[in-house]
Structure formats: C-alpha cells, structure tokens
Amino acid sequence: MVKVAVVGVGWQGQTHVKTLLCMQNVDVVGLCDLDAACVRSVAAKFRVNPYSDYEGMLDAARPDAIVICTPPAVRLQLVEPAATRGIHCFIEKPPAKDLATARDVDKILQRSGVLHAVGFMFRYGRAVESCRQLIVGRRVALVRSAMLDGLALRPNWPRWFFDKARSGGPIFDQGIHLVDLSRYLLGEVDSVAGFQGNLVVPKSADFTVEDSATCLFRYQRGTLQNHTHAWAVEGFRAEMELISDELQLTLDLGGKSLRGNIAGEEVNQSFPEDDYYGLELEAFVEAVESGDRSVIRSTYTDSVASLRTTLAAVKALEESCVVTLE
C-alpha cells in the first residue's frame, strides 16, 4: 500500500484526491492547505485527516509520496522538505513559475534521488501514444493545434487565474499542456512568435490576462505549428492536426481519438474510457511501488524544457516578437 498525501485542495487537488481514493493500492493519509477551514471541510468530505502545517503533515502522516496541487509560484518550498525526507513528488503543471526556480527544484530532486513526475496527463493517453508511434520516421510538415475553454466566462472560477502575475495567463497555465505534448511528439522548438488579444473580455484591474492568443512554433526538425488558445469560448476543445505529404492525423484530446490517414491507410482509433488523471497517477504510484522509473512519461527534469518553451511563447505574446530558444 502506497501512502499518499495531497497539498492544495482546490479543484485540481480534489480531482486527484477522488482518483487516489479509487485506487486499491493507495492510502490517502493527509490533505494540506493554508486555508485551515477549507481543508477541514474538504477532508471531512473525503474522510481524510486535514493539516494546515505542511511539514507537520509530512512528519505525522509519513507519506511515501506527495501530490502538489498549488499555484505554480509554490513549488520549491514544498518539494524541498518532501525530497529531503525521501518522499516521492508528483507536481502539477506548470512545474514552476520561472526557469531559475524550476532548475533549483530539479537539482533538489536529482540530489535526493526521489521519483518525480509532472501532471502533463495527455502523454498517458492511448491515442497520443498511438500517434507518437505512427509518426516515427515520417515527415510532419505542419501542425494545427487548439485549446479552447470558457474559464473567463465562468463567474465562479477562482479569480487568481485571471491575475497574470499569479497564473501567467492562458498559454502559461493551460497552453503548456499542448506545448509539452507537441515536444513529446515532435521534439524541441527553436523559435516562437505570437499575438494576443482581449476582444471578448477586456483587461481590467482584476482581469490582467489575455482572453485569446495565437502562437507560431518552428521546430528543430523543420515542422511549423500554429497554436490557437482561448479562455473566452464556451465549452472545451483540445486537438492537434498533423499534416504532410505522408500523413494527415487529427488527435482529439477531448474526444480521446485519433483519426485520419497515414501512407494511404485509414486511421480510426478511439479510447473513450481513458481517464487521463487516473492514468498519470496510476503510473506514478506504480513507479513508487515498484521502483520502475520508466513508467513515468513526464519527469520533472523533462518538464523544465516544456516550461522554457512556454515562457518563450509568453514573451513572444507580450512583446509581439520572435523569440529564439538557444
């Protein structure tokens, strides 16, 4: 039985708690949040012990692993006490708010030897893995990707998401999923350009993020990608289309399917039962239980490269310029 504690009990934290409680080989031994009243309420709902003192929880509950679901600025101060105690770390994306912190966190994880994973859950989808295998050795000339969501239209959504200084905005907070997935499929980016706008939700004192953005990525392998992102579109869509003379594949991340053709052969695959959050946590827990690191598809070390590319995209958006990654 793997003992797991969760820190940060907002929407994402509670989603992970629900998943962990359904896993037969997991014992959720504690929930922690700075908001003592909130964590007591959430812990009562899930029948788990609440804590508002993080290091106190680590010492009292003695978890084998910690799941960190706090805003991206809160990473180093949580990872270090856990890693130095030999506690394995699953860290929600983004891996950190800035590259300097991310590199410091990575050094701590490497030095401690604990297992580490970042919540880039799309890597664990079977449609994604099938796509990755199908394009091996083939040209991908163009990619069209989109992630469209209505967060800015939801009056009850946590307001910190719309504070650029705290959340980083749509590309940093959410678009990083598509940046990471694109790296997983296509390799490294060498330059980024972009534009952003606020035609739907104008900026104000409590809404300092863009509501829409478009980015152009050029990869080291020569592939060009256009990514469209919005927080002001009702519903949710996340998809990626890969195009060349050899293939045309549409990866529907929301629909969990892969369709199109490759070398003249039709591709029509669907995996509706895939639970991305379940798959990523199952892999992490399996790694903790067995010691097999190979089942983790998104290590913290690799996630730093996705953060670096995303920060380049944010800079390109803010300055309406081309940013070269060296």
Side-chain angles (χ1 to χ4, degrees), residues 102-326:
R103 287 166 176 156
D104 286 344
V105 170
D106 189 41
K107 288 176 184 176
I108 289 167
L109 291 168
Q110 296 297 329
R111 187 166 59 244
S112 70
V114 300
L115 290 161
H116 43 90
V118 173
F120 287 126
M121 74 282 188
F122 290 138
R123 290 191 178 207
Y124 294 86
R126 285 179 288 173
V128 167
E129 196 54 32
S130 178
C131 180
R132 189 169 185 244
Q133 293 172 9
L134 285 172
I135 66 174
V136 170
R138 299 185 184 275
R139 284 185 297 274
V140 180
L142 298 169
V143 176
R144 298 190 298 184
S145 60
M147 184 171 273
L148 310 176
D149 206 340
L151 303 189
L153 306 178
R154 299 173 193 168
N156 297 324
W157 199 257
R159 297 307 299 177
W160 72 266
F161 276 86
F162 311 125
D163 177 356
K164 191 69 172 275
R166 296 181 68 191
S167 75
I171 291 292
F172 181 81
D173 178 79
Q174 192 182 46
I176 193 170
H177 276 300
L178 267 295
V179 172
D180 177 78
L181 180 57
S182 298
R183 282 190 56 250
Y184 187 59
L185 295 174
L186 302 167
E188 301 303 333
V189 170
D190 70 16
S191 56
V192 192
F195 295 95
Q196 60 185 354
N198 287 82
L199 284 179
V200 181
V201 185
K203 288 186 177 180
S204 63
D206 67 344
F207 193 94
T208 58
V209 303
E210 65 276 15
D211 67 35
S212 304
T214 184
C215 298
L216 177 65
F217 299 87
R218 185 177 67 188
Y219 287 80
Q220 291 177 3
R221 64 190 285 176
T223 302
L224 300 178
Q225 177 180 8
N226 179 273
H227 176 68
T228 301
H229 207 104
W231 273 0
V233 177
E234 291 286 4
F236 177 79
R237 286 174 59 194
E239 57 194 26
M240 182 182 296
E241 183 181 15
L242 295 84
I243 306 165
S244 79
D245 59 321
E246 296 183 287
L247 56 87
Q248 185 276 317
L249 295 170
T250 298
L251 183 58
D252 183 346
L253 299 163
K256 303 169 185 175
S257 67
L258 179 67
R259 293 184 169 86
N261 65 83
I262 187 161
E265 297 293 326
E266 182 182 5
V267 176
N268 190 351
Q269 303 174 0
S270 182
F271 306 94
E273 66 275 20
D274 274 6
D275 172 4
Y276 294 129
Y277 295 131
L279 291 169
E280 67 177 355
L281 286 174
E282 285 169 6
F284 176 65
V285 169
E286 179 186 342
V288 171
E289 198 169 38
S290 68
D292 181 5
R293 296 171 181 262
S294 69
V295 298
I296 295 174
R297 296 183 184 175
S298 180
T299 65
Y300 193 90
T301 303
D302 185 64
S303 79
V304 175
S306 292
L307 176 64
R308 176 172 172 262
T309 305
T310 303
L311 288 171
V314 171
K315 178 178 173 66
L317 290 172
E318 290 177 346
E319 300 180 11
S320 299
C321 67
V322 176
V323 177
T324 300
L325 288 86
E326 298 178 357

